Amino acid sequence: MGLSLEKGQSLSLTKKNGGALTKIRLGLGWDSAAPVKRGLFGRAKPADEIDLDASAIFFDASGKVLDTVWFQQLASKDGSATHTGDNLTGAGDGDDETILVDLSKVSPAVSQIVFVISSYTQQSFDMVENAFSRVVDDSAPGAPEVARYQLTDSGTHTAMIMSKVSRDGAGWSFKAIGNRANGRSVMDLLTPAAQTL
């Protein structure tokens, strides 16, 4: 289990031996907060499905958007990041959507990568529970979790600016953000994400 971060906290992405992490996996997960429905004869039926979308926005040092990775563009232009695909329900344990990032391949023009989640179907976050953002060291045996940010903020918003990785000297750092926003896709969240830089 990685370090548990509170909103606004940061962590340097360095290995125990002092080297910088290079290959990370940003996992985002959530569950439906809707009560389990009862069908005929009291049998449990699945709770309402929640379709959230994980996305990454690449910014330069001046706050200009250079690239996005999301369900309609699964890879970054510089080849450093890959979205593993869209989860339409949030069902199951663990990460619901994952973005793989090779930090050593990120374009030198990129200073920060902001990770967001949005509800394409406009379901609000009062229908979501157990939302989290986590960083995993994909280059280490067993892919250990480095840091986790557990979201506790529910409400009528339809998106969240979850976290970001930023250049930090020769390496990178991870920061838990947890800002409310509204939007159906990453394209609606470019401005709110830029406000966290």
Side-chain angles (χ1 to χ4, degrees), residues 73-174:
Q73 180 183 318
L74 296 177
S76 60
K77 294 171 191 163
D78 62 11
S80 67
T82 306
H83 193 301
T84 60
D86 193 14
N87 178 322
L88 301 176
T89 67
D93 294 330
D95 299 338
D96 291 310
E97 292 196 10
T98 303
I99 298 173
L100 308 173
V101 184
D102 185 339
L103 295 171
S104 67
K105 293 183 178 178
V106 174
S107 166
V110 174
S111 66
Q112 300 187 61
I113 307 170
V114 178
F115 299 95
V116 301
I117 52 178
S118 56
S119 173
Y120 190 76
T121 53
Q122 296 292 276
Q123 292 164 301
S124 62
F125 272 71
D126 51 14
M127 297 180 66
V128 175
E129 63 185 8
N130 304 323
F132 66 86
S133 173
R134 72 184 191 124
V135 174
V136 172
D137 180 0
D138 252 1
S139 60
E145 181 178 287
V146 176
R148 174 181 289 257
Y149 170 50
Q150 192 76 35
L151 184 70
T152 56
D153 190 15
S154 65
T156 58
H157 50 289
T158 59
M160 290 292 298
I161 313 301
M162 289 293 288
S163 56
K164 68 179 177 179
V165 292
S166 307
R167 287 194 191 272
D168 186 6
W172 293 81
S173 62
F174 174 79

